[in-house]
Amino acid sequence: MRNTFVFMTILASMLFFGCDRIESPYLTLSETEEVTVDFPDLDINSVYRKVLIEEFTGHRCLNCPTGHQKLEELHGLFGDTLVIVGIHAGALAVPNEGEGYPYDFRTEVGNELAQEFNIDGIPAAIINRYPQAGGWGPARWLTKINAVDRSKPLAAIQLINEYNAQTGMLKANAQVTLLEPCSNQLRLAFYLIEDGIVKPQLNGTEYIENYVHNHVLRASLNGTYGTLLNTNGYLETGKGYTLAHKINLSGLDWNPANCTVVAILYDRTAGDVLQVESQKVM
C-alpha cells in the first residue's frame, strides 16, 4: 500500500509540474556584486512595514482574471504598502500554441515556490510567505493581509537600481537595517517583475487576445530564496548590511521601463517576510 501511495504522489507531481520545463530565456545568476552606491541616512520615522502578496496564476485559467481584479482593488486600498508579485505556474500556465497561448510566462523561481507551498488550484496567493498549503483564494486575501502585524516595522530596505540602457545591464543595490531583534538568519532576494505585458488570457469562456498582464515575475537575480545577508552569524539591530546583484536584460523581450525590482527580506526559519521593498528599474 505504501508503494502505491508513493507512486501516486510522484505521478501527481509529474502531472502538475512535468510540463514546467522552462525553454527560455536562460538566465545566469550573478555572484554577489560590490555595492558602489551611497545610501542616504535612514529616517526610521519614515519606515513602515510593507506586505508581500504572491499570486499564482495562469493565462489558461478561466478564473484568474477575477484574481487579477482583486489584486488591483487591494493595491488601490493599500497603495505602496502592498507589494504584488504575479507568478505563472502549474498546468494552466503551460503554453499551448494550438489553443492560442504560445507565450511562456513561467519561471524556475515560480515553479519552485508553487511546489513548496503545494499550490494545486489557482488563483491562489500566499501572504508574507506564511505557511499555508495551497495558498488562499481571492475571498481571503484582504483578511490575511489585515492579519499581518504592521504596528511597527521590523526592518528597513533601501533600494537603488542602476540600469545601463546601452548594455542592458541592471544592478540592484540594497541596504538592510534590522529595526527589531531577530535571532534567525535572514536572506534577501531580488525579484524582477514587469507590468503591461500584452498577451492572450482566458477569462471565463472568453478568449482575450490583448489582455494586459501586470506584476508578472520575470526572474530572480539571486535565486528563489536569495542571499544570506551575514554568513558569519546573525544581523545586528541598527546596523546596515549591503548587497548587490546584476542581471543582463539585453536580448530579452522585456521592457525595462515597465520593470520593477522587488527586494524581499525573508526569515525562512520562521516562514515570514520581515520587509519588502520595490523600485522601478528606470
Side-chain angles (χ1 to χ4, degrees):
M1 178 66 71
R2 181 180 182 277
N3 289 339
T4 301
F5 173 78
V6 171
F7 172 76
M8 292 303 293
T9 301
I10 294 173
L11 178 60
S13 178
M14 289 174 64
L15 289 173
F16 185 69
F17 291 101
C19 295
D20 283 4
R21 181 168 60 90
I22 309 302
E23 297 291 348
S24 64
Y26 298 102
L27 299 174
T28 301
L29 298 182
S30 71
E31 298 295 330
T32 302
E33 300 286 337
E34 180 182 1
V35 175
T36 55
V37 300
D38 294 323
F39 292 93
D41 293 338
L42 178 64
D43 179 7
I44 297 178
N45 294 322
S46 68
V47 180
Y48 44 89
R49 189 178 186 186
K50 298 186 178 184
V51 177
L52 173 68
I53 181 168
E54 292 167 290
E55 183 219 19
F56 295 89
T57 186
H59 54 180
R60 294 166 52 225
C61 165
L62 60 90
N63 292 318
C64 283
T66 302
H68 303 162
Q69 182 178 355
K70 184 65 176 181
L71 284 178
E72 297 309 320
E73 293 174 4
L74 293 170
H75 192 255
L77 180 63
F78 291 99
D80 71 346
T81 67
L82 181 68
V83 178
I84 301 168
V85 175
I87 299 171
H88 290 247
L92 296 179
V94 176
N96 188 319
E97 191 164 359
E99 294 182 3
Y101 304 94
Y103 197 76
D104 198 347
F105 287 99
R106 298 169 303 162
T107 62
E108 293 180 5
V109 172
N111 287 346
E112 189 168 354
L113 288 171
Q115 286 181 301
E116 173 164 341
F117 289 93
N118 299 311
I119 304 298
D120 57 1
I122 55 175
I126 51 176
I127 288 88
N128 269 13
R129 301 265 173 96
Y130 292 160
Q132 170 63 32
W136 304 101
R140 305 293 302 279
W141 294 350
L142 177 59
T143 300
K144 295 304 172 181
I145 292 170
N146 283 329
V148 177
D149 183 2
R150 288 170 286 160
S151 59
K152 59 183 178 181
L154 306 179
I157 302 175
Q158 294 167 279
L159 187 58
I160 298 176
N161 295 323
E162 298 175 279
Y163 177 66
N164 187 321
Q166 292 184 333
T167 65
M169 188 63 69
L170 167 66
K171 181 181 178 184
N173 305 271
Q175 178 168 272
V176 173
T177 306
L178 205 61
L179 303 179
E180 294 290 331
C182 180
S183 60
N184 296 330
Q185 292 182 322
L186 302 177
R187 309 185 74 90
L188 185 71
F190 294 114
Y191 285 8
L192 188 71
I193 64 172
E194 184 179 0
D195 292 325
I197 304 173
V198 180
K199 298 291 180 184
Q201 170 72 47
L202 182 63
N203 184 6
T205 59
E206 182 184 3
Y207 173 83
I208 302 177
E209 184 175 5
N210 296 315
Y211 188 88
V212 180
H213 298 263
N214 292 318
H215 318 292
V216 176
L217 175 63
R218 284 303 203 176
S220 170
L221 281 64
N222 59 336
T224 300
Y225 305 106
T227 304
L228 195 64
L229 276 173
N230 189 354
T231 57
N232 297 321
Y234 306 100
L235 303 190
E236 298 178 24
T237 306
K239 178 180 178 181
Y241 293 82
T242 59
L243 181 70
H245 280 273
K246 288 182 177 179
I247 186 172
N248 194 333
L249 305 184
S250 63
L252 304 174
D253 66 340
W254 308 349
N255 184 352
N258 292 343
C259 289
T260 299
V261 173
V262 175
I264 303 169
L265 183 63
Y266 184 36
D267 180 348
R268 200 172 182 203
T269 302
D272 189 16
V273 171
L274 276 66
Q275 186 62 290
V276 59
E277 190 58 77
S278 62
Q279 182 67 43
K280 295 284 288 184
V281 168
M282 55 188 299

